[in-house]
Each structure stands twice: as structure tokens, then as C-alpha cells.
Amino acid sequence: MIMEDKIHSEVLYDKINQLNKQAWELRVNDSLQAHTLSKEAIDLAENINYIRGKAEGYRTFAFSLIRLAKYHEALEYCEKSFPLFESLNDLDGQSSIYGYYGIINRSLGNYAASLEYLFKFLELSQQTGNREAESLSCYHLGITYKYLGDYETALTYLLKGMSTTQPEFTTYSMSKGLSLKQIGAIYFETGDLTNALDYYHQSLILTKKTGDKWGEAGCLDSIGVIHLKLSEHDKALEFCSLALTISQSVGDKKGQSNALFHLGDIYKELAEYNKALKHGADSLAMRRDIEDKKGQAEILLFLADLRSKKSFSEQPDPQVFELLNEALQSGQEIKSLDLLAKIHLSYYEACKHSNNYREALTHIERYISLSKEIHTDALNQKIQNLEISHKVEKSRKDAEIYRVRNVELANLYEESKRQKEEIQITLVELKATQSQLIQSEKMASLGELTAGIAHEIKNPLNFVNNFSELNKELLIELNEEIEKGNIEDVKAIARNVIDNEEKINHHGKRADAIVKGMLQHSQASTGQKELTNINKLADEYLRLAYHGIRAKNKDFNATLKSDFEESIDKINIIPQDIGRVLLNLYNNAFYATNERKKQNGNDYEPTVTVSTSRSRSIGEGRGEVIIKVADNGNGIPQEIIDKIFQPFFTTKPPGQGTGLGLSLSYDIIKAHGGELKAETKEGSFSEFQFSLPVLEST
């Protein structure tokens, strides 16, 4: 009898382990099936109190609940799972639960807790050497920082996550695909729809490859929204419809409601109001089903607006007020100020249309009051976000960065206390505009570098492809000569193959070096100085900037000249920051010569020159390296020469420049202890010169 019980228990253990294994492997591609299998494993494991079976079952079940947007339920199962993994001393299990805690808290709006748990996820994954988990932790840190509006830190972690894992891991493509999608979202939020579309398409390829239907649907829906923004309605309908179909196939109700809402928005733009109403109503039903209160209010407001547009009578459709009233109740229930403001504005429009001016006045006054409250809350949220970032990064930054962050935070607090309500609103708008412009400037630089690097990498890849094809032909010929017994010819062909392989290896390493350089350039500055070959850096960025502008304007050509003092040794600088300065100066030079080319035609040859030299005359054992960037463009008018380093000052037409490039460059050089200045002659040339101090022994 004892033997029979033991055998029965072992059979149950095996069955539970198998169920948990299948559920874990299916958690991404088929979350609903993973939900079912893990629940079966939990029931069996609880009956025999099998600790390992319960721990793993709870973990996978929590993941499936997160996928279904049931965050509070997911939290309960995480809390059941974590102590069991602790009792088993299973660090990988604990690590994954920390990750789920981070996701759940982010979804519930608790970003400070999200970062705290995600950094624990990162630390444990690094401790255990689990590269897949480390990659995912970086990915989720990137998302949370994106929610905080810290796009630069978000990009740093997303790129780190992409470079941490390796292609041999099963989740490599999934992790990379998710990161590419988030980078696309950052581009979208900064208004760069072209790059956003590119990254979403890259993500779509990888999500298809891994079978991640949830991720695939999300990419398709996002691509559809971009095409709607571009007024490409046919493409928008195609992608959002595909997203809806896939979301339906995997039971993703949140994805379905989003796709239906966006399809309704497309039909609204096309003035097909009946279709828009149907899709909006279907989305509303779905959001009610998943108890998405905010989503319900958004759809109700959307439907009310549609009813207003659909009505051609003097009086608005009575259903407009019914929908607005329900939306108002939902908005008040969840205390969403931004939604309430929009609802009161729609009420104002509807009341004005029905000549109920007294009621219209009430709603417009409420709208104005809420708008002021929103602006005040936005300032408080920005302060809170600064506190969150400061708290989390405190243990990861050196003492100087602590000091700067604390000073910035203290100043922001003092400023907020002194300001009245109107000044607070103005300050929030100004901060938001500056942040967007600086991010746009950085994104533009990254895009130009990428275009230049794409051109640079093309040559070595062509060599690799060509020599590979040639070796294929030689090997076929080698086999033929072996068959004929022509040993000398065989040896000659073999030598050719070896020579070609060496060339393939050489150009492969060259391509690898370019890719590593690209990753280095795309990463945010670490703030750490490194010994750097300034001649090589100046030459590299000159070529990348030139290829970048050529990628945007195929007709543009320029003569590039360089005069580097070879005796200059490596100097101690922050290479990413000095690279950004060089890129700004080169881009301005190419812009100036291109503008003059448009005026003078073929009689003019655009020329950009870069030179380096060393001076040994600034005392106390110190010298300086001087870098000059000159162009033969139209020059800068004397009346504005004193303004060019001011933030937001630009001579370029609206939409072609932020006016931050030279201002940021000036600050970077000043932070390095150097000086940036300009010499110019209107109608003839411009020359920018900056100095970098170095020790005489360097």
C-alpha cells in the first residue's frame, strides 16, 4: 500500500511538472491555454501540497492574468508564489516575480514601486547570470521610464536590453521585438512618424517570428494609427482590421477594444458615421466587459462627438446628452481630470448648439477650472517624477550627480511654491515644450547618424557577399578539378578560396566594428570621460554627417577636406558629447552650403573643412586642442552673430531646426572647460572653433 501511494504521488508530480512546463512555454504565444494548464497544475499541486508545483503554477497563472489586464488578481498569485520560491532558494523564480510586481505596479500607476521591483529583477538576473531575464528587466525598465517621460533613460535601457541577450536564446527575438516597439512608441510621441513606422515594422517582423500574437496585434494596431495620422486611410483600415482579427483569435479583449476604437476613428475621418458608431459601440461593450472605466468614458465621449457630427438638424441628437451624461458619471467615478475637462467642453458645444446658453456657460466654466487644476497637477507630477528618478538612481550615480539632481529638485520645489496659478500653468507648458524640443534634437541626430552608418556598412557587406559568391563558384570548380585529378589546379583554387576567406573575414570585422560604433553612438552619454583619438572622432563624424544628409538629399554633393595634426595623442573627453558637438557643426555647415548651392547653381562647389591643432600656451602644464569646422556657405549676418548660441534661436525655416543645436554644443564645450566661438563673413564663409584643454603630458 505504501509503495502504491509513492508511485501514485510520483505520477502526480510528473503530471504537475509537465503541465507547468507546457504552460510556461505557451505563456507568450497562447496565454489563454497557459491560463488553463497552469490552473490545472495548481489544483493538483494544492491537493498534495507539492511546493514546486504550486510555485511555478502560481507564477504562470499570474502572467496570464497580467495578459488579461486582471492586475489585482495577478498580484494575489504573485504573493502566493514568491515565498514558495524563497523556501526553495530559487533565485530565478524570485527574479521573475519581481518582474511581475514591476509590471503590475506600473499598470496601476505606481511608478516608484515599479522601478524598485524592476531593479531587483535586474540585480537578481545579473546575479544568476540569466541573460534572458536581464534583457527583459532592461526592457521593462525602459517602459517605466517612458511612462515617467524620461525618454533618454528609457532609450538607454531599451538599447541595453537589445544588446544584453544573444540570438541563441529562445526569447531573443521576442525581447528585441518588444524593445523595438517601445522605441517606435517614443518616436511616435515625439512626432517623428517616419522613424516610428520603421521601428514598428521591425518589431512586427520579430513578433511574427516568435509567434507572439499579442505583440503582433499591438504592432499592427500602432502602425494603423500612424497611417491614420498620415491620412492614409486605406492602409490604416488594413492594419487595424488585421490587429482586430488577431486579438479576437487569442482572446485579447483589451487589444480588441483598442482596434475597434481606432477603426471607429478611421471611419469618423472618412465621414462614414454609421460604421464609426458601430465600431465605437462594439469597443464600448468590450471595455465594459473588462471593466476599463477610463476606456469606457473615452468611447462614450467619442460616440457623443460622432452623434453630433451625424446630426444635420438644428437641434443635436438627444442621445448626445445621454452619452455625455454617462461619460461624465464614469469620469467622476475614476476622477480623471483630463477626461472630465474634455467631457465638459463637449457639453458646452452641445448646449450652445441647442441654444441652452446658461447650461453652456456652466460647463465652459467647469472646463476652465479643470484645465487649471490639470496644469497644476502636471507640475506636481513632474516634481514627483523627478523624485522617483532621483530616488531610484541614487545608488547608481556618483556624488556629483547626486548633488546636481538634489539642487535641481530643490530649485523646482522653491519655484513651485512662489508661483501663482497662472505662472504655474505657463511654467508647465514651457518645460514640456523644452523637453520635446531637446528630445527632437537628439532623435534627429540619432536618425542622421543611422543614415550615415547605413551607408558606411554597405561597402563591407557588399565585399562579404561578393567574395562569398565567388568562393561558391571556386568550390564548384574545385570539385570538378578533383574529379579530373588536376592536383595543381586544385591547389591553386584552394589558395584563391583561402585568400577570399581572409578578405571576407577582414570586411566582416570591419562591418562588426561599424555596428559596435553605431551602438556606442546611439547610447546616451555616460558622463564618463575616456581617452579618445580626436582626429579619428572628427573624421568619423564628418563622414557620417555627410552620408546622413546625402540619405535625405541624393542630389547634394560637397567636397570634404581635413587637416589633422598627427602629433595629437588621445585626449580625455566624453566622446558621445563631443561627437554631438561635431555632428551639429557639420550639419550646420552642410545646410549652409546646400542653401548657397540653391542660389548659385553649378558655378559653386560646396566645401566643408575640418582641422585639428595643438596649442601649448595656457599655463600650469596645460595645453589645448583646437578643432575648426569651416564652410564656404553664405555666412552669418553680423547683426545676429551674438545670438547664435542662445537657446531656441535659429535662422532655419519653421520645422527645419529647433534652435538648440549650437546652444547644447556651447554647454557641452563649456562643461569640458573649453570655449566655442564663431568667425564669419556674410556671403563668403563661416568657421566654428572650439578648444579642449589637455595636460602637457597627454
Side-chain angles (χ1 to χ4, degrees), residues 16 117 243 265 280 361 458 463 473 522 577 582 620 629 690:
I16 294 167
Y117 283 120
D265 214 7
L361 180 61
K458 191 174 181 181
F463 274 110
E473 295 172 6
S522 65
D577 287 355
L582 287 165
E620 297 183 359
V629 176
F690 64 91

Side-chain angles (χ1 to χ4, degrees), residues 62 133 149 307 352 397 411 444 459 461 465 559 596 631 689:
R307 289 282 179 187
K352 187 173 66 171
K397 303 293 183 181
N411 289 340
N459 285 337
L461 289 181
N465 291 334
T559 299
R596 187 172 180 183
D631 66 75
Q689 170 183 311

Side-chain angles (χ1 to χ4, degrees), residues 291-404:
E291 299 181 355
D292 180 0
K293 295 290 186 182
K294 186 173 183 180
Q296 291 175 49
E298 289 173 341
I299 294 292
L300 288 164
L301 188 58
F302 171 75
L303 291 171
D305 184 56
L306 272 175
R307 289 282 179 187
S308 297
K309 291 182 179 300
K310 192 171 181 291
S311 176
F312 294 99
S313 62
E314 289 297 323
Q315 296 296 323
D317 186 336
Q319 288 192 42
V320 171
F321 289 102
E322 294 176 17
L323 291 164
L324 287 174
N325 188 49
E326 188 178 351
L328 184 60
Q329 290 175 1
S330 296
Q332 289 170 337
E333 185 177 342
I334 60 174
K335 297 180 174 60
S336 175
L337 298 185
D338 58 333
L339 267 175
L340 286 170
K342 292 175 184 176
I343 293 165
H344 281 291
L345 184 61
S346 293
Y347 251 124
Y348 161 72
E349 296 290 347
C351 291
K352 187 173 66 171
H353 183 53
S354 59
N355 298 323
N356 188 348
Y357 297 112
R358 183 182 296 277
E359 191 71 17
L361 180 61
T362 299
H363 285 292
I364 196 64
E365 287 176 346
R366 186 63 184 135
Y367 165 73
I368 293 169
S369 174
L370 283 167
S371 296
K372 290 180 179 179
E373 192 174 349
I374 288 167
H375 283 301
T376 302
D377 284 354
L379 177 61
N380 292 335
Q381 185 62 52
K382 186 164 184 67
I383 293 171
Q384 183 181 350
N385 290 348
L386 279 170
E387 287 178 317
I388 291 169
S389 294
H390 172 70
K391 178 182 176 183
V392 173
E393 293 173 9
K394 188 174 182 180
S395 62
R396 294 169 176 81
K397 303 293 183 181
D398 57 35
E400 178 59 21
I401 293 182
Y402 289 168
R403 188 187 65 77
V404 172

Side-chain angles (χ1 to χ4, degrees), residues 636-647:
I636 303 169
Q638 287 299 319
E639 61 268 21
I640 65 169
I641 192 69
D642 293 333
K643 301 178 183 179
I644 60 174
F645 296 119
Q646 295 177 5

Side-chain angles (χ1 to χ4, degrees), residues 263-286:
L263 283 166
D265 214 7
I266 297 165
Y267 285 120
K268 174 186 170 185
E269 289 289 315
L270 293 170
E272 296 185 35
Y273 298 125
N274 287 332
K275 288 184 179 180
L277 283 169
K278 182 182 184 309
H279 283 83
D282 290 344
S283 179
L284 178 61
M286 195 71 65

Side-chain angles (χ1 to χ4, degrees), residues 418-639:
R418 289 195 306 267
Q419 302 302 323
K420 293 183 180 179
E421 193 172 77
E422 292 84 0
I423 299 175
Q424 287 179 320
I425 294 170
T426 304
L427 178 62
V428 170
E429 293 172 346
L430 178 60
K431 292 287 184 183
T433 302
Q434 288 175 334
S435 177
Q436 290 171 353
L437 286 170
I438 291 171
Q439 188 61 31
S440 297
E441 180 77 22
K442 291 179 180 177
M443 287 293 189
S445 297
L446 182 57
E448 287 162 355
L449 274 177
T450 303
I453 289 162
H455 182 279
E456 284 290 291
I457 204 171
K458 191 174 181 181
N459 285 337
L461 289 181
N462 283 340
F463 274 110
V464 170
N465 291 334
N466 291 339
F467 281 115
S468 296
E469 288 292 328
L470 184 57
N471 271 3
K472 181 180 177 182
E473 295 172 6
L474 287 172
L475 290 171
I476 293 171
E477 186 179 342
L478 182 69
N479 283 330
E480 292 173 353
E481 295 303 324
I482 290 172
E483 292 291 333
K484 295 176 184 177
N486 297 333
I487 300 303
E488 291 303 319
D489 290 342
V490 168
K491 290 180 178 179
I493 294 171
R495 284 193 296 271
N496 287 338
V497 171
I498 292 170
D499 290 343
N500 289 346
E501 284 299 317
E502 289 177 353
K503 292 172 182 174
I504 290 172
N505 182 260
H506 168 75
H507 289 290
K509 288 180 178 177
R510 183 180 166 204
D512 181 62
I514 292 169
V515 170
K516 287 178 180 175
M518 176 180 68
L519 290 173
Q520 182 182 9
H521 294 314
S522 65
Q523 290 172 353
S525 170
T526 62
Q528 298 296 319
K529 290 186 176 182
E530 303 172 17
L531 286 175
T532 305
N533 186 324
I534 190 66
N535 291 341
K536 183 178 178 182
L537 190 73
D539 185 58
E540 181 182 2
Y541 270 92
L542 178 62
R543 288 184 289 105
L544 293 177
Y546 181 57
H547 293 318
I549 195 170
R550 288 266 299 147
K552 293 188 292 185
N553 183 359
K554 302 291 186 185
D555 297 329
F556 178 76
N557 289 291
T559 299
L560 308 182
K561 295 182 179 180
S562 59
D563 181 15
F564 299 134
E565 185 173 324
E566 298 298 331
S567 64
I568 298 174
D569 295 325
K570 289 184 177 181
I571 61 175
N572 206 25
I573 58 172
I574 303 173
Q576 296 97 330
D577 287 355
I578 299 302
R580 183 170 292 162
V581 173
L582 287 165
L583 189 63
N584 280 327
L585 298 182
Y586 291 148
N587 285 341
N588 286 345
F590 288 129
Y591 177 84
T593 54
N594 190 35
E595 290 300 300
R596 187 172 180 183
K597 178 70 173 177
K598 292 176 185 178
Q599 299 169 6
N600 295 13
N602 294 330
D603 295 335
Y604 165 73
E605 181 181 355
T607 304
V608 174
T609 305
V610 57
S611 66
T612 61
S613 60
R614 178 158 183 167
S615 167
R616 304 179 184 274
S617 59
I618 63 175
E620 297 183 359
R622 284 156 45 91
E624 61 182 5
V625 170
I626 298 171
I627 299 93
K628 296 180 181 179
V629 176
D631 66 75
N632 63 341
N634 284 322
I636 303 169
Q638 287 299 319
E639 61 268 21

